[in-house]
Amino acid sequence: MRIKDLLDPRSIRLNGSAKNKDDAIAQIVDLMAASGKIEDKKTYLEGVHAREKETTTAVGDGVAIPHCRSTSVKTPGLAAMTLPDGVDYDAPDGEKVKLLFLIAAPNTKDNIHVDVLSKLSTLLLDEDFTKKLLAAKSSEEFISIVDKAETAKDASGGAETAVTNARAKLLAVTACPTGIAHTYMAAETLEKTAVRMGCSMKVETRGASGTKNALTAEEIAEADCIIVAADTKVPLDRFDGKKVIQCKVADGISRAEKLIEEAASGRVTVYHADKASPVNSGTYGKESTAHVIYKHLMNGVSYMLPFVVGGGILIAIAFLIDGLSVDLNSLPFDQRSSFGSITPVARIFKTIGGGAFSFMLPVLAGFIAMSIADRPGLAVGFVGGFIAAQGKSGFIGAMIAGFAAGYLVLLLKKLFSKLPKTLDGLKPILIFPLIGILITGLFMTFVVEPPIGALNTLMHNALSSMTGASSIILGIILGGMMSVDMGGPVNKAAYVFGTASIASGNYNIMAAVMVGGMVPPIAIAISTLIFKNKYTAEERKAGPANFVMGFSFITEGAIPFAASDPLHVLPCCIIGSALAGGLSMAANCTLMAPHGGIFVFPVVGHPLMYIFALLAGSFLGAILLGITKKKVTE
């Protein structure tokens, strides 16, 4: 495949004009759509803007390469536009952009197009090449210029980076989130700049098509300095004891000369793998504390999600089987609590699903800790999450356990860094897990669990004292409580109060509790379908599964979304659940089963009003999520 194979004359506009950056992007996306390469223009446009918010795709010298890797792309393609008068585009050199290339890449495992697109990115660094494109008189001439330049580059075999009597032996690693354009442009710029400044340079690229030109152990040992220009996680342990500069991938393009000069000067801090702080990154842009915490949290959530989805759906199937096989009204009250595991087949599904669910919180905590402290933090985090799951602190306790375990292991690494090298093998398998698990276990048992247990008791006592109060207010409170911590102590306090009310004959309380607990997953599922630009691609894929869990009264399905954005998700879900609980009470809906979701709706008193309460709360929560959540940047 060659670059010209990705270009379509219908997607090229010469001598165009644009009012501003957004107008230029909208026009070139229209050009891409004209060639039939994308099937959802709106989603693709949102993806291009999201990529632009991470960092400008203007690369200097009047060139910009907006791009998006998306499921809305049917086949890889290119669109191009020349703007003789230029347009302000937040370029690093302040110049107006006169040449735009838009890249459309499908989000698939087949990355045959990536090498072609990376070659175009490096060609655009050549000023003569861009001048010829700007002077093209027709689309056919434009494509011909691109084809000739690609042929010449293939014949030359790329830039020669060997330097006789090099001033310094340098290495570099480049990586960007999309792994298409900036990764390879930074590599090309660093290579050419190093040669021009009398330094030898080898660059490892970590793009969409995998790692290319990988650095060897021998090359790393001989290097004077290593530049890591990356916006994604790059394995750094191999650079332990070497001088390392860390910066954004865009700096590898726009500040290559400054980076090479600093690397060759020798005035660079030595990187140590057992230290948590980044090295030499302040000059080029440092991650905010909030972003670092968010990145660790998302690592835990991404590993937890399959356990929630897989386990939750299996439990839902168990409820469905029992709902179709058993007349709940004919069962004694003491057997109703076993709904979902009454029949043998349902019991199997419930056991397997419950087993998957039991891993949810340990996995969350374990992989948060691993993100912070690498593999030594995993076991420590798992144990902290297990204690949270077995106790009363729920997913909030698991989050605390994950961060506490991760930073504890980092502290242990620092404290034991002076031990003899001969003991290095014992640290990750004996010292760190032994001390880390003990301290984390004590912290969770004596510091985290007691106050949350006390809060649980307080909530239950407060609810018990409100039995004689207005039923609608009680329904609002109970419904809202079901969303406060998604299966944690507040949720459990409301649920226990509801089941206890069944025993005393107050069936309307359990109805308000269950409808409040069903709202959060359903509200999130609706929101991911309506407000797609407020969720990541992974969240949009996981969203519909929450319909199954919400309708099955599995509130925990909302945990990954609540954990990733608690300040927006929790209040919206609480309000939606409170409305559902209040409406259920106002309609005097009743429920004699302590669980089951829609599978026990046939035994609900006033079922139509109950369905209305559920839909009203769910849609209110979904709309509030769409209003309050920020647009995502992927």
Side-chain angles (χ1 to χ4, degrees):
M1 182 183 289
R2 295 176 60 81
I3 297 174
K4 70 174 184 179
D5 297 331
L6 302 179
L7 278 169
D8 188 309
R10 294 172 295 177
S11 295
I12 300 174
R13 179 177 296 161
L14 304 179
N15 302 315
S17 63
K19 299 175 184 178
N20 49 43
K21 178 179 177 178
D22 287 346
D23 183 32
I25 291 175
Q27 288 189 46
I28 201 166
V29 168
D30 286 340
L31 289 173
M32 183 68 76
S35 66
K37 300 283 178 65
I38 54 178
E39 53 188 7
D40 187 342
K41 188 172 74 171
K42 181 181 178 183
T43 300
Y44 178 72
L45 177 62
E46 290 171 353
V48 173
H49 280 299
R51 173 63 185 88
E52 207 68 41
K53 287 179 181 179
E54 293 179 3
T55 183
T56 179
T57 54
V59 296
D61 297 324
V63 178
I65 314 176
H67 52 277
C68 175
R69 192 166 185 234
S70 170
T71 53
S72 63
V73 178
K74 292 192 289 186
T75 56
L78 291 169
M81 184 164 63
T82 63
L83 304 166
D85 295 330
V87 63
D88 290 326
Y89 206 95
D90 304 324
D93 57 3
E95 286 191 26
K96 288 188 174 182
V97 165
K98 296 184 178 182
L99 175 62
L100 279 87
F101 266 96
L102 175 66
I103 298 174
N107 192 15
T108 62
K109 294 181 180 179
D110 179 11
N111 291 313
I112 191 171
H113 59 283
V114 172
D115 290 337
V116 179
L117 298 177
S118 66
K119 190 186 300 181
L120 170 67
S121 301
T122 56
L123 284 175
L124 289 170
L125 296 171
D126 186 336
E127 189 175 348
D128 290 336
F129 174 62
T130 59
K131 284 181 178 179
K132 290 178 182 178
L133 291 176
L134 289 169
K137 302 300 182 183
S138 66
S139 298
E140 290 72 19
E141 182 184 353
F142 190 95
I143 294 174
S144 176
I145 292 169
V146 171
D147 194 38
K148 288 178 181 178
E150 182 180 14
T151 301
K153 184 173 181 62
D154 290 343
S156 68
E160 177 60 50
T161 59
V163 178
T164 305
N165 298 321
R167 175 186 172 194
K169 291 183 177 181
L170 305 179
L171 301 176
V173 181
T174 61
C176 68
T178 310
I180 297 174
H182 283 59
T183 298
Y184 302 99
M185 295 182 74
E188 181 90 353
T189 306
L190 288 169
E191 285 181 345
K192 289 183 176 180
T193 305
V195 172
R196 179 166 51 82
M197 297 176 67
C199 301
S200 68
M201 170 66 80
K202 177 181 177 181
V203 184
E204 173 184 295
T205 56
R206 303 178 71 85
S209 57
T211 300
K212 300 289 183 66
N213 211 28
L215 305 179
T216 66
E218 183 179 358
E219 290 167 338
I220 294 170
E222 295 177 354
D224 295 310
C225 185
I226 301 158
I227 299 170
V228 179
D231 292 339
T232 59
K233 192 171 183 179
V234 171
L236 298 176
D237 286 0
R238 52 188 169 151
F239 303 144
D240 186 43
K242 303 298 296 185
K243 293 179 179 180
V244 177
I245 296 174
Q246 293 185 60
C247 61
K248 297 178 180 178
V249 70
D251 293 325
I253 302 170
S254 61
R255 302 183 183 181
E257 188 169 331
K258 184 176 180 181
L259 287 168
I260 299 297
E261 181 60 40
E262 183 174 349
S265 71
R267 297 187 297 272
V268 178
T269 305
V270 174
Y271 172 76
H272 293 290
D274 57 353
K275 291 187 177 180
S277 58
V279 292
N280 286 59
S281 60
T283 307
Y284 308 100
K286 188 177 181 180
E287 283 186 300
S288 66
T289 301
H291 186 263
V292 170
I293 292 174
Y294 176 80
K295 186 169 66 176
H296 296 321
L297 179 60
M298 286 302 95
N299 191 66
V301 170
S302 65
Y303 281 100
M304 177 185 72
L305 192 60
F307 292 89
V308 177
V309 174
I313 292 176
L314 287 173
I315 292 173
I317 293 173
F319 291 141
L320 175 61
I321 292 171
D322 267 2
L324 296 174
S325 307
V326 178
D327 180 5
L328 195 65
N329 288 321
S330 66
L331 290 176
F333 174 76
D334 60 351
Q335 293 184 22
R336 293 177 184 176
S337 61
S338 299
F339 183 78
S341 57
I342 297 174
T343 60
V345 177
R347 190 179 308 117
I348 292 173
F349 278 87
K350 184 76 175 293
T351 301
I352 297 172
F357 246 53
S358 68
F359 284 101
M360 180 176 65
L361 297 185
V363 166
L364 172 66
F367 282 95
I368 289 175
M370 184 176 179
S371 178
I372 296 169
D374 291 323
R375 289 181 61 186
L378 183 62
V380 182
F382 259 105
V383 173
F386 174 79
I387 294 173
Q390 296 297 307
K392 301 176 181 179
S393 55
F395 89 93
I396 294 176
M399 289 167 57
I400 295 172
F403 283 102
Y407 287 111
L408 171 62
V409 172
L410 285 183
L411 177 61
L412 293 175
K413 286 183 177 182
K414 185 174 182 180
L415 292 176
F416 290 97
S417 61
K418 302 300 182 182
L419 287 179
K421 290 286 185 182
T422 54
L423 297 179
D424 281 354
L426 288 177
K427 292 179 186 178
I429 63 171
L430 176 62
I431 297 175
F432 297 152
L434 176 62
I435 300 176
I437 289 173
L438 175 61
I439 294 176
T440 300
L442 293 173
F443 172 72
M444 290 298 297
T445 303
F446 296 105
V447 178
V448 176
E449 286 291 331
I452 295 182
L455 178 63
N456 190 7
T457 302
L458 179 65
M459 290 290 180
H460 181 73
N461 292 338
L463 288 174
S464 298
S465 65
M466 289 187 64
T467 303
S470 167
S471 61
I472 296 177
I473 295 177
L474 183 59
I476 291 172
I477 293 173
L478 290 171
M481 287 178 66
M482 293 300 291
S483 284
V484 168
D485 52 1
M486 314 287 186
V490 178
N491 171 287
K492 287 295 186 288
Y495 180 73
V496 169
F497 184 71
T499 55
S501 299
I502 293 178
S504 60
N506 297 321
Y507 304 126
N508 56 351
I509 292 177
M510 187 64 232
V513 167
M514 190 172 81
V515 78
M518 294 172 71
V519 163
I522 298 174
I524 287 170
I526 295 171
S527 184
T528 59
L529 295 177
I530 299 176
F531 306 101
K532 295 182 179 180
N533 62 341
K534 301 299 181 76
Y535 298 89
T536 65
E538 184 179 5
E539 288 173 333
R540 291 195 299 272
K541 291 178 182 177
N546 274 274
F547 278 121
V548 177
M549 285 180 276
F551 286 129
S552 303
F553 186 32
I554 301 174
T555 315
E556 289 86 348
I559 285 180
F561 296 84
S564 65
D565 189 9
L567 294 180
H568 293 103
V569 173
L570 289 178
C572 296
C573 289
I574 289 170
I575 293 171
S577 293
L579 174 64
L583 289 174
S584 175
M585 277 288 197
N588 196 30
C589 298
T590 58
L591 175 64
M592 294 182 288
H595 214 303
I598 61 170
F599 305 114
V600 295
F601 272 29
V603 299
V604 169
H606 305 293
L608 293 179
M609 283 303 300
Y610 199 59
I611 293 171
F612 173 75
L614 176 62
L615 293 177
S618 299
F619 275 98
L620 175 61
I623 292 169
L624 291 176
L625 285 167
I627 294 172
T628 60
K629 279 180 68 67
K630 297 178 181 179
K631 291 183 178 180
V632 299
T633 300
E634 294 189 85

